[in-house]
Amino acid sequence: MPVLDTLIVGADVIDGTGDPARRCDVGIRGDRIAYLGVDDAVEAAHTVDAHAMIVTPGLIDPHSHSDWSVLGNRSALSTIYQGVTTEVVGNCGVTYAPLGLDDVEAAQNALQALGFEGVVDWRSFGELLDRVHSGGTAQNLVWFVGHTAIRQAARSNAVRHGRSERKERISLLEEAMDAGAIGLSTGLEYGAGRFADMAEIAELARVAGRRDGMYSSHIRNRDAGLEQAVDEFFDIVHQGRVRAQLSHLNVRHDSGAHSGAWERAAQRVVDERSRDTDVLADMTPYPQGIGLAAGLLPGWLAERPAAEAARLLQDPEVRDQVRRDGDRYWRFVHRGQWDRVRLGVSATHPEWEGLSFPEIAERHGRDEWDCLFDVLAAAGSDLGSVQLLGLLFTEDHLAEAIAHDHFLLGVDAFSACRRGPLSTRTRHPLFYYGHTHYLAHHVSAGTLTFEAAIHKMTGMVADHFGIRDRGYVRDGHVADVVVFDPGVLSRTDTWAMPPGDYADAARHVWVNGVPVIADARHTGRLAGRLLR
């Protein structure tokens, strides 16, 4: 056998199938796994002693928003340190391409708030992919194109150039898929997506389906209308004949969901799969999650251009009407539970980021609603980029979904770093420990075994999204490989922010055969690829 580049010796291998761990050495040559065995005669240019450690495939996040932060964080610091080698991005309808001229300034400001120091000079989805991947990324990226972006760009182009909005939407989706998007994502609870009817989305799903694409959806409702929203999702999937991902299928605590609604929704996924619908759902690791502040606004205000809506929010009478009409999205807010909400991202109020709204109200001398209105009014045309962090779910609900056979394990966040704008906007362990939390907290709590967790974070994801030759520790597969130290995992407090650095249970991480984390330190290598 030719000499290997790297030989990992002494570890137990959890290969991504869900099978029990087995003692096995792992060899890497070039960008592939080239050896699995226990032959002492095997030679390698570099040997990694991994005794008492665990080798797994690189983790694959099935629901990430790292496309928002990648241009300001190409090293993917918070996620690569956790052993994440691939992220499925472009979710919930929100991508920063395609862009019409009317949306360039808002995109520029939103990305700048997340660490991007360049100029938004792209317009097409393909141009965005070129910008991201020509500069290198630490992790591999699989891209959806966002329906909200398509809808806004189509409207802008139609007005400026006298084109058909409907034909423009189809053209923009086709261009994006030609460029490398694996399909279409929607966000139907906020932004432009909430004003699209099913016929519009189904037409685009058919376009994706004809190209063997996927449909991923943040569905229209996850409280009192959950079951109707799930029905709409599957109607679109069937009309489009698409493979599908039901994003973060969960129910927010005390928001009006009917008893048993989530259980019926989860069973619907099971039933659909039994009828050969290629669909899975996903769940998040913490009770907390990210939300868009504009989602709290009633339709009569949210449907207006962002700058106009922000200007109207300066009017006390408009504010009073919003208080009366805005019972939607995070409906617990309308029950006075503001202690469950923190300000996540606000370019105009960075001093409030990370604070709960009762804390903000006390400092600002106004009530919580007025504080929210002040943030949104100040945002102007960037109103849609204001993010919240909410205490959304109960631990029991999390555990039930995480353990479900048809749920993948995502984080629904974005890669962060401990410096620059991202450091002040990611003050929750979700960003730095979200993936580790599954392996440290949920495994130790008995929600699922380590092997099952790895399967739901690697091989099961790769199979569903059609990510070829990844997700498993197999001879000939691409060498996205992680060495975890179970001792570090067992003593890591994933409920707290890392003490000044990043997660360190993933001692070694290879991406496409290149060492990106070595001895728990980033090598600076940008070995990631665009996976089409």
Side-chain angles (χ1 to χ4, degrees), residues 73-145:
N73 183 27
R74 291 184 177 276
S75 295
L77 292 164
S78 68
T79 48
I80 201 75
Y81 268 109
Q82 295 180 75
V84 180
T85 58
T86 299
E87 299 183 59
V88 180
V89 298
N91 287 289
C92 298
V94 183
T95 52
Y96 289 105
L99 285 174
L101 285 175
D102 298 324
D103 299 310
V104 172
E105 181 182 359
Q108 178 77 57
N109 294 338
L111 290 171
Q112 185 176 359
L114 294 171
F116 176 49
E117 297 178 349
V119 176
V120 173
D121 54 5
W122 62 84
R123 297 295 178 268
S124 73
F125 193 78
E127 288 169 343
L128 171 60
L129 295 188
D130 288 344
R131 171 61 71 90
V132 170
H133 290 281
S134 64
T137 61
Q139 80 282 49
N140 305 305
L141 295 175
V142 179
W143 291 78
F144 282 101
V145 61

Side-chain angles (χ1 to χ4, degrees), residues 327-491:
D327 187 7
R328 67 176 315 277
Y329 195 41
W330 290 7
R331 297 182 66 196
F332 55 83
V333 166
H334 302 277
R335 303 179 181 192
Q337 298 172 25
W338 281 103
D339 57 307
R340 293 171 60 180
V341 186
R342 294 180 178 274
L343 182 63
V345 175
S346 169
T348 60
H349 290 74
E351 72 280 6
W352 291 355
E353 291 173 340
L355 298 177
S356 72
F357 270 81
E359 291 172 324
I360 293 170
E362 182 177 355
R363 294 188 184 193
H364 196 40
R366 297 158 73 84
D367 79 356
E368 291 88 352
W369 275 111
D370 274 322
C371 292
L372 175 67
F373 295 149
D374 288 346
V375 170
L376 293 174
S381 62
D382 301 332
L383 178 146
S385 67
V386 177
Q387 294 180 23
L388 306 175
L389 187 69
L391 178 58
L392 305 180
F393 316 114
T394 65
E395 277 289 315
D396 287 345
H397 179 45
L398 281 173
E400 190 173 13
I402 288 167
H404 196 288
D405 288 344
H406 296 333
F407 278 60
L408 304 173
L409 304 184
V411 171
D412 193 15
F414 48 85
S415 186
C417 59
R418 304 297 295 255
R419 54 177 170 72
L422 280 171
S423 66
T424 64
R425 294 181 167 110
T426 53
R427 297 171 178 166
H428 189 278
L430 172 72
F431 299 94
Y432 297 89
Y433 278 150
H435 308 273
T436 307
H437 192 65
Y438 286 118
L439 303 177
H441 171 70
H442 289 292
V443 168
S444 66
T447 305
L448 69 179
T449 66
F450 200 100
E451 288 88 349
I454 292 296
H455 174 57
K456 288 155 74 74
M457 300 170 80
T458 59
M460 189 174 171
V461 187
D463 290 346
H464 184 57
F465 286 91
I467 305 171
R468 292 188 297 273
D469 295 339
R470 299 176 196 265
Y472 298 95
V473 178
R474 285 178 177 163
D475 192 10
H477 269 49
V478 176
D480 293 345
V481 177
V482 183
V483 176
F484 283 107
D485 186 333
V488 175
L489 273 176
S490 67
R491 64 175 180 264

Side-chain angles (χ1 to χ4, degrees), residues 477-521:
H477 269 49
V478 176
D480 293 345
V481 177
V482 183
V483 176
F484 283 107
D485 186 333
V488 175
L489 273 176
S490 67
R491 64 175 180 264
T492 298
D493 179 6
T494 55
W495 289 104
M497 282 287 286
D501 211 333
Y502 299 94
D504 59 352
R507 309 304 293 181
H508 301 271
V509 180
W510 290 265
V511 179
N512 298 306
V514 176
V516 177
I517 301 294
D519 294 317
R521 288 289 175 263

Side-chain angles (χ1 to χ4, degrees), residues 24-185:
C24 186
D25 297 340
V26 180
I28 297 171
R29 184 184 302 112
D31 67 350
R32 298 279 164 165
I33 296 170
Y35 173 76
L36 295 171
V38 287
D39 186 349
D40 292 339
V42 173
E43 297 182 13
H46 177 62
T47 300
V48 174
D49 183 352
H51 284 84
M53 297 191 187
I54 298 171
V55 170
T56 76
L59 305 185
I60 305 173
D61 190 338
H63 187 101
S64 170
H65 292 285
S66 286
D67 50 310
W68 298 355
S69 61
V70 64
L71 288 168
N73 183 27
R74 291 184 177 276
S75 295
L77 292 164
S78 68
T79 48
I80 201 75
Y81 268 109
Q82 295 180 75
V84 180
T85 58
T86 299
E87 299 183 59
V88 180
V89 298
N91 287 289
C92 298
V94 183
T95 52
Y96 289 105
L99 285 174
L101 285 175
D102 298 324
D103 299 310
V104 172
E105 181 182 359
Q108 178 77 57
N109 294 338
L111 290 171
Q112 185 176 359
L114 294 171
F116 176 49
E117 297 178 349
V119 176
V120 173
D121 54 5
W122 62 84
R123 297 295 178 268
S124 73
F125 193 78
E127 288 169 343
L128 171 60
L129 295 188
D130 288 344
R131 171 61 71 90
V132 170
H133 290 281
S134 64
T137 61
Q139 80 282 49
N140 305 305
L141 295 175
V142 179
W143 291 78
F144 282 101
V145 61
H147 164 254
T148 297
I150 285 175
R151 197 169 201 265
Q152 292 180 175
R155 176 161 295 180
S156 175
N157 293 349
V159 170
R160 287 179 176 271
H161 306 296
R163 299 171 183 166
S164 160
E165 222 174 295
R166 173 183 163 272
K167 291 181 179 179
E168 191 71 7
R169 286 194 296 266
I170 293 171
S171 176
L172 290 171
L173 175 56
E174 289 175 336
E175 288 174 3
M177 294 192 69
D178 286 344
I182 65 166
L184 175 74
S185 77

